[in-house]
Amino acid sequence: MTRRTFLTASLAAPMLARPALAAEGPIKLRYLYDRKAISELAKSSQGKRISVDGYMAPPLKAESNFFVLTRRPMSVCPFCENEAEWPSDILAVYTKRVVDVVPYNVKIITSGILELGSYRDPETGFVSLVRLMNASYE
């Protein structure tokens, strides 16, 4: 192997690597989706505790145990009517306790059990396609 081949291969290796699960830190929200569909990484992580980083969108209502995690700061909640309209850059997060609201422009890390598939929250009517259950955040 020549020096040039080694350097080229070592520079390309990080771009070819698949995103790792929590062992190497939180998953980026974009890795849960693949062109507006659920990614293979998300499918293989279903039912497992994962960590995801992002921003807390303003809650739908006060005293809630639910919030939406977004890829970038949003000053309004991206509420959807059904899973067909589910954006590929948000994640529903259900916590065990009432949510202490974090300013929408402060990055947080959430951890919870990943669930996939259509779910309508009976209290808010919010429909999610991808969500974290029994979650915590910091």
Side-chain angles (χ1 to χ4, degrees):
M1 178 183 288
T2 67
R3 188 169 135 186
R4 181 175 289 176
T5 305
F6 174 77
L7 288 173
T8 303
S10 64
L11 290 173
M15 291 182 260
L16 299 174
R18 273 195 107 185
L21 292 176
E24 293 185 25
I27 296 172
K28 298 245 180 254
L29 197 51
R30 68 177 172 254
Y31 293 135
L32 296 178
Y33 299 94
D34 182 21
R35 295 188 184 142
K36 299 225 179 214
I38 297 172
S39 72
E40 289 302 316
L41 175 64
K43 290 176 186 174
S44 69
S45 301
Q46 185 171 2
K48 296 178 185 173
R49 179 165 284 279
I50 65 168
S51 294
V52 182
D53 65 0
Y55 299 89
M56 182 185 290
L60 294 172
K61 65 177 201 151
E63 302 292 316
S64 179
N65 70 334
F66 159 82
F67 68 91
V68 174
L69 191 72
T70 62
R71 182 173 57 95
R72 59 184 174 269
M74 299 184 95
S75 59
V76 295
C77 187
F79 190 83
C80 300
E81 290 183 19
N82 65 52
E83 71 275 6
E85 298 171 6
W86 184 256
S88 63
D89 61 355
I90 68 173
L91 176 66
V93 179
Y94 290 88
T95 61
K96 294 178 185 177
R97 297 183 179 95
V98 172
V99 172
D100 289 326
V101 178
V102 174
Y104 75 91
N105 59 349
V106 174
K107 191 168 232 180
I108 62 173
I109 298 174
T110 61
S111 297
I113 307 298
L114 183 66
E115 284 190 2
L116 306 174
S118 183
Y119 172 77
R120 180 178 297 272
D121 183 282
E123 192 175 320
T124 64
F126 187 90
V127 177
S128 64
L129 188 57
V130 180
R131 68 204 148 274
L132 288 181
M133 301 301 287
N134 297 318
S136 60
Y137 58 95
E138 53 185 83

